[in-house]
Amino acid sequence: MGEQTQKPTTKKREVANMETAITLNMVQKKLQTFQTKVMEDVQKKMDVMFEELVQEVRQYEMQSNEFKNFRQHHELWSNRLTNQMEVVDSTTKTVTSEVKERKTETEEHDKSKKKLPDKVFVPRESYLTCLLEVDHMKAIYHVFVAVLLLLLLNVSANDYFEEGRVNFGLNTIKGGFRGIHYVLGVLVVKNILAFGLFYAFRIWAAVRFSLLQNKVLCSFWNKSCLILFISFQLVFGYVGSMLCIKFNLPFVSSSVLLLETVRLMMKMHAFVRTNAGRQLQGKLKGDSKVQVMLPKFSSYLYFLFAPTLIYRDEYPRTKQIRWKFALSRLSEVIAIMFVYSYVHERYIEPLFKKYGDEEITKASLSVKIFGMLMPSTIIFLCGFYLILHSWMNFAAEVLRFADRMFYKDWWTASNYEAYYRNWNIVVHDWLYEYIYKDMYNHIFKGSKLMSSLTVFFVSAYVHEHILGFGLKLFYPIMYVFFGGFGVFFIAMTKNLPKQFGNFVVWFTLISGNSLMIALYVMEYYARQNCPVGDSFLDYIKPVSWSCNGLTEN
């Protein structure tokens, strides 16, 4: 009986032991599988980290060797510093000294408000000038030059076989610069008036100094001269705009007159704002007066022609003029003029010249707008290279202006805030120094948002003003795109990943510029081909929306 009881118990133990062994074996296999997967994942991550490390080392070596200008003087690409830097001028090298401590100039009630940094001028080349020293980038430059020559050959062949003569797009260039002699005459007068502002400012400073002890008269004199200066600026801009219509100037000539007018207005404002601020800081010390030194006319004259909108009594200068470099930049300006002529004759005119005379369907309109993708991109990129690189570097070289940072690497921007900040350093500096800082310090009292919005709307208005009077129409597309969508895209792209953000910036730039240019061109030709009334409402109403309205087919 006891033996019979022991046997089932032994069997149960054996079964339990077998089940335990099977369970342990299963757990062991799962642990081995888990360990294998973990090791595979770890190995993959290690491989990825190793590849990234190797890539970083390669990039560091390339930057150290081929892009050495960026690594050796990386601090020089900083546009504004809160601390002052001492810079030793050299034609090829720039040596920076240790940063000196600056005394704070803010009042007691402004100490809680962050002091905005100042613009720093140091000798440095433009980004593309440094990049084109690398053989790889130089090869890309040669590709573009080769494409340009092939385009000119294409134009020559078409002109010869279709019209029996070679034109090279000169008819378009001549038509664009029609009336340029009027423009040059007006600009001579405007420059003389700008020269006269220097002596008017000296008169204001001298009279103010004599009235310092009489606060009432001094305040009246200051306010009267301020109103007079604002009125002078408004009339200065108004005359330039009205003469575009008076002389019926084409777009290119109008743009030259309007851009030069705006440039001189910005220069005069910068000079008066900077030096008036210095004079107003001069105070009475007891019974004696403290007179602030006035700038020399030579400093003002150089500033009027220097490729910057920020006034300084002195700028870093190069020791000599590199005439080969200057002539190369000037030849690029001339070459891009022919590229624009080619784009106008081969793309814009065939697509839109008959707009308003022909029946437009939704399908044909879509084809026209998408047909502007490539020419609009050419206009956008060539416009940047023409003005901000070629022309600015030519002017800087001739004037021995050493600070060539007219733009930064906007093409790598991953958000629109970086794009706007780096696209046009020259204008951005002026807006920051004389609009943003004044709004931030005096009007909105530390509000960055309101100060930034003011900058956007001022910039959008000036751009729209130039396009509107240049094309002789009111069609505020630039204002909507720049002042509306531009602000929206800053918020939308702020936190995007770097690579995806850069793609979004380029996609929206290409598509947005194409749509904007197409809309302006359609409105321009619609006003040429369709009857337009003389009333104010007819002037502001878009003609392209109603002239030969769209059909469904």
Side-chain angles (χ1 to χ4, degrees):
M1 194 69 184
E3 292 180 0
Q4 290 178 354
T5 305
Q6 261 179 336
K7 286 182 180 179
T9 303
T10 303
K11 287 181 178 179
K12 288 181 180 179
R13 287 177 181 175
E14 291 177 354
V15 171
N17 290 334
M18 289 179 63
E19 290 178 351
T20 303
I22 291 171
T23 303
L24 290 174
N25 189 30
M26 182 181 66
V27 171
Q28 184 179 6
K29 288 182 178 179
K30 287 186 177 182
L31 287 173
Q32 288 177 350
T33 303
F34 176 75
Q35 183 181 5
T36 303
K37 289 184 178 180
V38 169
M39 291 301 296
E40 288 177 355
D41 291 341
V42 171
Q43 186 64 37
K44 287 180 180 179
K45 290 182 178 180
M46 291 291 292
D47 291 340
V48 171
M49 291 176 64
F50 180 75
E51 289 178 0
E52 289 178 350
L53 179 62
V54 171
Q55 188 175 4
E56 288 180 2
V57 171
R58 288 175 179 172
Q59 289 178 352
Y60 180 82
E61 290 178 352
M62 184 173 65
Q63 290 174 354
S64 299
N65 297 323
E66 296 183 348
F67 296 92
K68 56 186 177 181
N69 287 332
F70 294 94
R71 292 201 62 84
Q72 289 177 355
H73 308 300
H74 179 71
E75 70 278 2
L76 295 180
W77 298 110
S78 189
N79 194 27
R80 296 181 192 89
L81 298 177
T82 53
N83 296 319
Q84 192 76 23
M85 275 199 317
E86 288 186 359
V87 182
V88 178
D89 187 4
S90 176
T91 54
T92 56
K93 295 182 180 180
T94 305
V95 181
T96 57
S97 66
E98 295 182 356
V99 180
K100 289 186 174 182
E101 295 183 359
R102 294 174 55 188
K103 293 181 180 179
T104 230
E105 296 178 357
T106 38
E107 301 286 341
E108 292 256 339
H109 59 82
D110 286 335
K111 284 186 177 179
S112 61
K113 187 168 58 178
K114 183 179 178 182
K115 181 174 173 59
L116 297 175
D118 296 323
K119 168 74 176 179
V120 175
F121 288 94
V122 295
R124 51 193 164 189
E125 294 285 3
S126 296
Y127 258 76
L128 289 179
T129 303
C130 294
L131 286 174
L132 289 174
E133 293 179 2
V134 180
D135 290 339
H136 306 294
M137 303 302 297
K138 194 68 175 179
I140 297 175
Y141 177 82
H142 291 155
V143 169
F144 280 101
V145 174
V147 170
L148 169 62
L149 292 176
L150 290 173
L151 290 178
L152 292 177
L153 289 174
N154 181 19
V155 171
S156 302
N158 285 334
D159 289 342
Y160 180 76
F161 291 113
E162 291 180 4
E163 302 179 9
R165 58 187 178 87
V166 178
N167 184 29
F168 290 116
L170 288 175
N171 288 338
T172 299
I173 295 175
K174 290 178 182 178
F177 283 100
R178 178 175 49 82
I180 193 66
H181 54 289
Y182 293 121
V183 173
L184 296 177
V186 172
L187 291 180
V188 169
V189 176
K190 283 181 173 287
N191 277 275
I192 293 173
L193 292 174
F195 297 158
L197 177 71
F198 175 82
Y199 297 101
F201 180 83
R202 292 182 71 93
I203 293 172
W204 166 78
V207 174
R208 176 189 172 275
F209 179 71
S210 65
L211 296 175
L212 272 178
Q213 291 179 337
N214 191 326
K215 292 184 179 180
V216 176
L217 286 177
C218 187
S219 176
F220 176 77
W221 173 250
N222 290 338
K223 291 177 181 178
S224 299
C225 289
L226 176 61
I227 294 172
L228 185 62
F229 174 67
I230 294 173
S231 303
F232 169 75
Q233 287 278 65
L234 292 175
V235 173
F236 194 88
Y238 174 80
V239 170
S241 303
M242 289 299 105
L243 288 178
C244 291
I245 299 176
K246 177 70 175 178
F247 296 141
N248 192 25
L249 297 175
F251 178 70
V252 178
S253 297
S254 297
S255 297
V256 171
L257 177 56
L258 293 166
L259 287 170
E260 276 297 294
T261 299
V262 172
R263 186 185 71 87
L264 288 173
M265 291 174 67
M266 295 169 78
K267 293 262 190 181
M268 291 187 290
H269 178 85
F271 172 78
V272 171
R273 176 65 184 86
T274 302
N275 289 284
R278 295 175 183 174
Q279 295 294 322
L280 292 173
Q281 287 176 359
K283 298 179 180 179
L284 286 171
K285 291 187 176 180
D287 294 332
S288 61
K289 305 175 188 177
V290 178
Q291 186 173 14
V292 181
M293 292 296 294
L294 292 171
K296 298 178 181 178
F297 180 74
S298 58
S299 298
Y300 177 65
L301 181 64
Y302 183 81
F303 168 64
L304 281 183
F305 295 98
T308 180
L309 297 172
I310 304 297
Y311 178 80
R312 297 288 187 271
D313 293 329
E314 293 180 353
Y315 300 94
R317 305 283 293 275
T318 58
K319 293 181 179 180
Q320 61 182 0
I321 299 174
R322 299 172 295 177
W323 286 108
K324 182 179 178 181
F325 178 85
L327 293 175
S328 297
R329 303 291 76 78
L330 184 61
S331 65
E332 289 172 346
V333 172
I334 297 172
I336 292 174
M337 287 170 52
F338 283 96
V339 172
Y340 277 157
S341 176
Y342 170 82
V343 170
H344 181 264
E345 291 183 0
R346 299 297 177 217
Y347 291 97
I348 296 178
E349 274 199 341
L351 280 173
F352 295 101
K353 188 174 183 179
K354 295 182 179 179
Y355 192 90
D357 283 341
E358 59 184 0
E359 183 179 354
I360 302 295
T361 64
K362 291 183 178 179
S364 62
L365 181 61
S366 300
V367 170
K368 290 179 183 296
I369 292 176
F370 279 103
M372 285 296 293
L373 283 172
M374 194 268 283
S376 296
T377 304
I378 293 175
I379 292 171
F380 170 68
L381 294 177
C382 286
F384 155 74
Y385 194 87
L386 168 69
I387 298 174
L388 292 175
H389 182 74
S390 299
W391 181 255
M392 286 293 196
N393 273 286
F394 168 75
E397 192 65 39
V398 172
L399 294 170
R400 298 194 296 114
F401 187 83
D403 192 341
R404 313 291 174 84
M405 196 175 73
F406 309 121
Y407 56 89
K408 292 179 71 174
D409 54 340
W410 60 268
W411 48 86
T412 64
S414 58
N415 56 73
Y416 265 86
E417 183 179 2
Y419 165 73
Y420 285 129
R421 189 171 56 248
N422 298 333
W423 159 256
N424 188 342
I425 296 294
V426 180
V427 173
H428 183 269
D429 282 343
W430 188 90
L431 291 169
Y432 176 84
E433 187 73 20
Y434 303 115
I435 302 296
Y436 181 86
K437 290 177 74 172
D438 282 347
M439 294 294 113
Y440 182 85
N441 291 325
H442 305 297
I443 306 299
F444 298 116
K445 304 295 184 182
S447 174
K448 291 186 176 181
L449 176 61
M450 295 305 298
S451 302
S452 299
L453 289 176
T454 303
V455 167
F456 263 95
F457 289 123
V458 168
S459 181
Y461 169 76
V462 174
H463 282 80
E464 185 60 49
H465 180 89
I466 293 171
L467 282 174
F469 279 92
L471 295 171
K472 315 296 186 301
L473 52 85
F474 177 81
Y475 200 40
I477 299 298
M478 170 70 81
Y479 196 88
V480 173
F481 275 49
F482 193 22
F485 293 119
V487 177
F488 170 75
F489 281 130
I490 286 179
M492 190 190 79
T493 60
K494 188 174 184 179
N495 298 317
L496 291 179
K498 184 175 181 180
Q499 300 300 326
F500 180 68
N502 184 248
F503 165 77
V504 170
V505 168
W506 272 105
F507 182 83
T508 50
L509 279 177
I510 293 172
S511 57
N513 276 295
S514 301
L515 179 60
M516 183 178 67
I517 294 175
L519 291 173
Y520 274 117
V521 172
M522 283 191 293
E523 180 67 15
Y524 176 79
Y525 281 111
R527 289 184 175 272
Q528 301 293 319
N529 298 324
C530 300
V532 182
D534 296 330
S535 67
F536 178 74
L537 183 62
D538 292 324
Y539 178 75
I540 65 174
K541 184 175 67 174
V543 178
S544 56
W545 292 8
S546 57
C547 181
N548 286 347
L550 292 176
T551 61
E552 294 292 333
N553 297 323

